Amino acid sequence: MCGIVGYIGSKDLGAVILVGLEKLEYRGYDSAGIAVIHNGRLVVKKRSGRIGDLYKLVNGMAFNGKAGIGHTRWATHGGVNDINAHPHVDCKSQIAVSHNGIIENFQELKLELEKSGHKFVSETDSEVIPHLIEEYYEGSLFDAVLKAVKRLQGSFALVILSSMEPDRIIGVKMGSPLIIGVGKDEMLLSSDQMPLLSHTKDVVVLNDGEICVLTQNSWSVYDFDGNPKQKYITKIDWTVDMAEKGEFSHFMLKEIFEQPEVLRRNLEYYIRGNEVTLLKDFNLRRLLLNKDRILIQASGTSMHAGLVGKYLLEKLARIQTDVDYSSEFRYREPVLGQNTLVIAISQSGETADTLAGVKLVKENGFEVLSIVNVKDSSIARESDYVLYINAGPEIGVASTKAYTAQILILFLLSLEVGLLRGFVSEEDFSRMRDELFELPGKINDVLCESGYVKEVATRFLDAKHFVFLGRGINYPTALEGALKLKEVSYVHATGYAAGEMKHGPLALVDKDLPVVFVNPKTSVYEKSLNNIEEVRARGGIIISVASSGDLKMEMLSDYVFKMPEVNELLTPLVSIIPLQLFAYNVAVGRGCDVDRPRNLAKSVTVE
Ligand code: AGP
């Protein structure tokens, strides 16, 4: 995980790098640091804590060099302390490196370097990198980096600075993301687009096995043998204000409220008159029409969207669909074949397990379709086909708007394939299209009830455990509701299929256990009522998500979050909204750092 940034230009070095790190803080936030050129020497300032703490350490210092690098850390090797914070330097403090990723052979390299007299100060894997570059340095930083990277095993994105060659910064990509920002009289390097937005819209996305050299007015890219590579500038289509909180107190809240707009944007983009245009690529269309099995692999919230996708693809397109955690999929020799299409789902497009799953499928000679938010991300580039969810930057660590956007794309995909395969009639299609366009308004109605959700949340700030239950297409909603709550509020919550309660978890129920039932009007509505009765009979506190005007649910529940009635297949897009708001409000009420929950990072780029 971790975020890395580099800058070369004439602006205030310290300020540019610190602001860049703030934009990357969601990637890791246990320590941070910068290394800049000042009076011809390297100055390193780093400490454990947030970027705010680093600001205090730097204390507005003006640096007179032109180049600097920065790092925000999510610890893997070595505890969270000032020494383990990046950037790391060589013995003479002339070479500084910010590293995102893991160096798997660091122990062996460290022993070797120690034998040659190098002195290590940290417990990190990353510190071997500046020492290795130092070992190979014979008058050219570029040549030394080329030699060093050939010795590294694992995944790494590096930003390298040296006081011996203060007119350049060098970037290396292998496994972790790295992007060049091409500005006017300035160049930048960053783990993602966010720090670049206020400087330039022109970017060059690096591929694995590439090294770049940036000076104030030039950029060039090479392979690991030093051969120049032809690369092209692409444009970022996100804007600065998309990455700001605006009037909202947290990104998570802003992103929850953005959902109607994200859905509307996608509907307008992907539906043209009587057609869904997701499969306008003829090859993708042919691919989907020739498969009789889909295997979705994803992590966390994206995996929950995949579970909803299973219901949609099976119901509308009649294609057998299996869903797997990427971290399981990649290690268990999954049965792949000509008739199976693998779909990867990822907001960031950088999740290490999901990316490894994509690579595994490709190595076996099969094609991959990915559903991704971040353009040009690693998963998008590794896949044969990409469907973008157009959610804009999602900065809160808890995924909200990406989840509903992923489900919408899965819905549209299922609808289009269903139509093409003859399982959805023109009539059904027109009806569902109209229902889709009503969705943003219906979600807005639920958002208007956020005051009530907050009031209910306030009553449960001291609850120790929650159980979330749902059936059918809202079983994944229960899983996602529980994940949201635990990740932002640190309260234990478990999601379960409502019908499974009596097979074990019912034993948990007592008068202190809040049980959240997701039970809008669907084909399994009546079945869930029985499950609610079972919990009530044992004294559990019932919070429910139910369709407006459902008196039965009102009678059975202690608290009801109401949602408008929608087509059963669209219920997950609405029923999750009060649960996102609930998690948010419990977290705020408990004083948690909602946008940056402890121990987590937005992009999980390590195994
Ligand atoms: C969501 O709230 C989580 N922070 C997490 O589960 C996330 O969904 C998961 O890490 C997958 O990320 P991705 O969608 O970027 O691949």
Side-chain angles (χ1 to χ4, degrees), residues 39 81 102 169 219 310 338 347 351 376 396 410 507 514 518 555 559 575:
N39 292 334
N81 57 43
I102 290 179
I169 47 176
W219 60 273
K310 172 182 168 67
Q338 288 303 341
Q347 185 285 128
T351 300
D376 288 327
L410 287 161
V518 187
M555 272 170 52
Y559 306 94
S575 58

Side-chain angles (χ1 to χ4, degrees), residues 299-302 346-349 351 397-399 406 483-484 487 604:
S299 308
T301 289
S302 296
S346 175
Q347 185 285 128
S348 61
T351 300
V397 165
S399 184
Q406 288 163 344
L483 174 60
K484 283 290 89 80
E487 80 176 317
V604 185

Side-chain angles (χ1 to χ4, degrees), residues 270-330:
Y270 286 121
I271 298 188
R272 296 280 151 83
N274 277 337
E275 273 182 36
V276 183
T277 61
L278 228 45
L279 302 178
K280 57 180 183 280
D281 180 324
F282 175 75
N283 291 326
L284 175 59
R285 178 186 288 225
R286 199 181 49 189
L287 188 73
L288 267 153
L289 293 182
N290 287 325
K291 302 291 176 188
D292 56 21
R293 178 178 172 237
I294 285 177
L295 210 160
I296 296 176
Q297 59 109 4
S299 308
T301 289
S302 296
M303 191 273 194
H304 295 157
L307 285 175
V308 177
K310 172 182 168 67
Y311 286 87
L312 297 172
L313 284 157
E314 292 190 342
K315 180 85 183 171
L316 293 170
R318 304 300 298 150
I319 305 183
Q320 184 209 329
T321 304
D322 299 312
V323 187
D324 217 344
Y325 287 116
S326 303
S327 53
E328 292 295 319
F329 173 80
R330 61 181 290 197

Side-chain angles (χ1 to χ4, degrees), residues 391-422:
E394 190 180 68
I395 294 166
V397 165
S399 184
T400 52
K401 62 176 179 174
Y403 176 68
T404 43
Q406 288 163 344
I407 294 175
L408 180 70
I409 299 304
L410 287 161
F411 185 93
L412 294 176
L413 184 69
S414 312
L415 194 59
E416 191 171 1
V417 177
L419 195 64
L420 292 168
R421 288 168 67 121

Side-chain angles (χ1 to χ4, degrees), residues 35-67:
V36 293
I37 303 289
H38 183 60
N39 292 334
R41 302 169 72 91
L42 262 190
V43 174
V44 179
K45 299 274 174 195
K46 56 183 192 172
R47 66 183 296 179
S48 57
R50 297 287 168 92
I51 308 294
D53 300 307
L54 183 62
Y55 263 102
K56 285 182 202 143
L57 186 68
V58 174
N59 196 20
M61 275 175 76
F63 303 108
N64 55 17
K66 287 197 181 294

Side-chain angles (χ1 to χ4, degrees), residues 591-604:
C592 301
D593 189 345
V594 178
D595 285 333
R596 299 183 194 96
R598 69 184 180 201
N599 308 336
L600 301 180
K602 182 71 179 163
S603 302
V604 185

Side-chain angles (χ1 to χ4, degrees), residues 189-406:
L189 272 173
S190 172
S191 300
D192 73 24
Q193 308 174 353
M194 238 67 93
L196 310 178
L197 288 175
S198 55
H199 299 270
T200 179
K201 294 260 172 167
D202 292 342
V203 298
V204 178
V205 181
L206 294 179
N207 290 326
D208 282 347
E210 290 182 341
I211 299 187
C212 67
V213 180
L214 308 186
T215 66
Q216 187 169 356
N217 290 299
S218 72
W219 60 273
S220 42
V221 179
Y222 306 84
D223 65 19
F224 279 8
D225 291 320
N227 303 308
K229 292 197 73 176
Q230 186 131 26
K231 299 285 289 185
Y232 299 97
I233 291 179
T234 54
K235 293 261 176 212
I236 309 179
D237 55 11
W238 289 354
T239 57
V240 177
D241 55 314
M242 280 170 115
E244 303 287 343
K245 276 201 294 250
E247 76 218 43
F248 291 92
S249 39
H250 296 93
F251 279 109
M252 181 180 177
L253 191 62
K254 178 193 177 215
E255 287 157 7
I256 291 173
F257 274 81
E258 272 182 283
Q259 290 175 104
E261 182 47 36
V262 171
L263 296 189
R264 190 174 296 115
R265 190 187 306 150
N266 274 304
L267 290 171
E268 282 165 6
Y269 185 74
Y270 286 121
I271 298 188
R272 296 280 151 83
N274 277 337
E275 273 182 36
V276 183
T277 61
L278 228 45
L279 302 178
K280 57 180 183 280
D281 180 324
F282 175 75
N283 291 326
L284 175 59
R285 178 186 288 225
R286 199 181 49 189
L287 188 73
L288 267 153
L289 293 182
N290 287 325
K291 302 291 176 188
D292 56 21
R293 178 178 172 237
I294 285 177
L295 210 160
I296 296 176
Q297 59 109 4
S299 308
T301 289
S302 296
M303 191 273 194
H304 295 157
L307 285 175
V308 177
K310 172 182 168 67
Y311 286 87
L312 297 172
L313 284 157
E314 292 190 342
K315 180 85 183 171
L316 293 170
R318 304 300 298 150
I319 305 183
Q320 184 209 329
T321 304
D322 299 312
V323 187
D324 217 344
Y325 287 116
S326 303
S327 53
E328 292 295 319
F329 173 80
R330 61 181 290 197
Y331 289 118
R332 65 169 174 75
E333 291 186 45
V335 180
L336 305 167
Q338 288 303 341
N339 295 334
T340 300
L341 172 67
V342 176
I343 300 182
I345 307 179
S346 175
Q347 185 285 128
S348 61
E350 299 296 345
T351 300
D353 286 321
T354 312
L355 180 60
V358 171
K359 289 182 176 166
L360 175 85
V361 177
K362 305 278 304 163
E363 279 156 22
N364 279 276
F366 301 111
E367 291 176 301
V368 177
L369 164 65
S370 63
I371 298 177
V372 170
N373 190 31
V374 180
K375 296 233 164 78
D376 288 327
S377 51
S378 302
I379 291 173
R381 279 179 299 119
E382 286 286 334
S383 304
D384 301 277
Y385 304 95
V386 188
L387 296 174
Y388 285 110
I389 64 167
N390 304 309
E394 190 180 68
I395 294 166
V397 165
S399 184
T400 52
K401 62 176 179 174
Y403 176 68
T404 43
Q406 288 163 344

